Amino acid sequence: MTGSIPRLQAEDLLRAIDLLDPLAVVAEDLVGRPAPAQRRTGRFVAGLASDPELTLVEDLGSGERCLLPTACLRMVCAAAVASLAVRELHGTGVGTVAVFGGESPTDLLLAVIAAYLPNLSHVAVYAPASGPEPPVDRAVAERLELAGIGLSVSGEARQTAFGASLFIVAARDRGRLDVGTPAPGVLLINASGADLPDELLDAIDQVYVDDLQLVVDNPHRAVVRQHLSGSDGAAEPLGAPREGWHRRQAGWRHRRRIETDLGRVLTGDHPGRTHVDDVLLVELLGLRELEVALAGRLLRTAIEHGLGKP
């Protein structure tokens, strides 16, 4: 059924993101809520891709269609959101990034953050299972090397997280994610669609989401459930270290309240980070919606430059 439809391989997507600014696409979609669909150039077509690992995208202008690897699209989108969040919530950039991709390929995520994260010096990749293929594609590893960015791979989550000021949880494996207690000032991006461990949520000072309107549609997610149940000022756990004055104002740590969404931070309606030592979480509730916007632009770029093969 999909034999005659062009398919973008990972290397085609790598070329496409070189020709397209994925951060601009995602930012435009977030700022344009609640009606971003009016500016989108593509849509997902359900039920026609025989391979569950592929997503069928249709260009709304020409009607042309193309198959994209679903996991690769998710990684590009997660990296774009993470890079945007760093710009808005972590102004000085990051030195080391810890990437947790589960069993999904992280090559495209690494390519995007290498191109768009300021002051990036090292990437640590969590690879719990070592298969026959290297966890990072050689072409992407060479990109990192040319950019002066170090690369390490570890099967231990805590070792991966050590020294990182940005955690990107792009996918979860079946095991428990144990990264320990984040250092002051760390920014976490959860694009996995799964809840982070309770002990990690307890270490957060502020929580942001991609779109506040999606809160009511996600009551099963831990941050939403706690936000909706609320608290009038939860006390710190017994034995917890004394915190500075700024921690007493942390909306999540004490009241389990979501601060705002990225769209309002991007427009300047919310100041974002209020203290350099706060640990921030960006919880993505509607990554699939962002993937629609990004996939449409990737398809149009592929059409214009002759990328993809039947």
Side-chain angles (χ1 to χ4, degrees):
M1 185 178 296
T2 59
S4 62
I5 300 176
R7 174 176 175 175
L8 294 185
Q9 306 288 347
E11 55 267 26
D12 296 315
L13 287 175
L14 192 59
R15 175 61 176 152
I17 61 177
D18 284 340
L19 299 166
L20 171 74
D21 183 351
L23 276 65
V25 176
V26 170
E28 180 182 86
D29 200 74
L30 289 170
V31 171
R33 305 281 174 97
Q38 297 174 1
R39 290 176 301 280
R40 289 178 180 167
T41 61
R43 70 182 184 96
F44 289 156
V45 181
L48 293 182
S50 56
D51 188 339
E53 295 183 357
L54 297 174
T55 296
L56 182 59
V57 187
E58 180 180 86
D59 186 87
L60 294 177
S62 65
E64 294 190 59
R65 293 178 173 182
C66 188
L67 290 164
L68 303 179
T70 303
C72 291
L73 178 60
R74 172 170 288 264
M75 289 297 168
V76 174
C77 196
V81 175
S83 301
L84 269 180
V86 168
R87 288 184 179 183
E88 300 298 326
L89 301 172
H90 214 65
T92 58
V94 296
T96 298
V97 177
V99 175
F100 302 88
E103 298 176 356
S104 300
T106 58
D107 297 322
L108 290 170
L109 185 153
L110 299 181
V112 173
I113 63 174
Y116 291 99
L117 279 186
N119 304 324
L120 179 60
S121 61
H122 189 85
V123 176
V125 177
Y126 175 55
S130 56
E133 299 294 329
V136 179
D137 181 76
R138 178 179 296 178
V140 174
E142 290 176 352
R143 282 187 175 220
L144 295 174
E145 184 177 0
L146 288 172
I149 300 170
L151 172 66
S152 62
V153 178
S154 173
E156 297 291 333
R158 289 200 176 206
Q159 183 176 341
T160 303
F162 182 76
S165 54
L166 172 65
F167 297 178
I168 304 176
V169 184
R172 293 281 302 276
D173 55 24
R174 288 181 288 273
R176 177 175 169 273
L177 182 64
D178 179 14
V179 298
T181 302
V186 162
L187 172 63
L188 295 92
I189 312 294
N190 185 18
S192 68
D195 292 334
L196 297 178
D198 289 342
E199 62 269 22
L200 192 50
L201 288 179
D202 287 343
I204 302 298
D205 293 299
Q206 291 185 320
V207 172
Y208 298 80
V209 294
D210 44 340
D211 186 351
L212 279 174
Q213 296 181 88
L214 297 175
V215 166
V216 295
D217 298 325
N218 290 273
H220 59 288
R221 298 292 296 275
V223 295
V224 172
R225 186 169 62 252
Q226 294 184 41
H227 170 81
L228 294 176
S229 63
S231 170
D232 293 327
E236 291 283 356
L238 291 176
R242 294 177 63 86
E243 302 286 1
W245 64 267
H246 64 94
R247 287 284 169 84
R248 294 196 294 271
Q249 300 178 0
W252 181 260
R253 179 177 288 263
H254 294 285
R255 301 189 306 278
R256 288 302 192 255
R257 302 297 296 174
I258 295 172
E259 290 289 326
T260 188
D261 58 33
L262 285 179
R264 288 172 173 80
V265 176
L266 287 166
T267 58
D269 292 336
H270 188 282
R273 180 186 289 274
T274 55
H275 195 279
V276 67
D277 284 342
D278 281 348
V279 177
L280 273 54
L281 167 64
V282 176
E283 186 84 7
L284 301 184
L285 303 176
L287 189 62
R288 192 65 171 169
E289 288 296 310
L290 292 173
E291 289 173 3
V292 174
L294 188 57
R297 298 290 285 275
L298 287 169
L299 171 56
R300 186 155 292 183
T301 300
I303 293 171
E304 292 173 350
H305 293 85
L307 303 176
K309 297 179 180 179

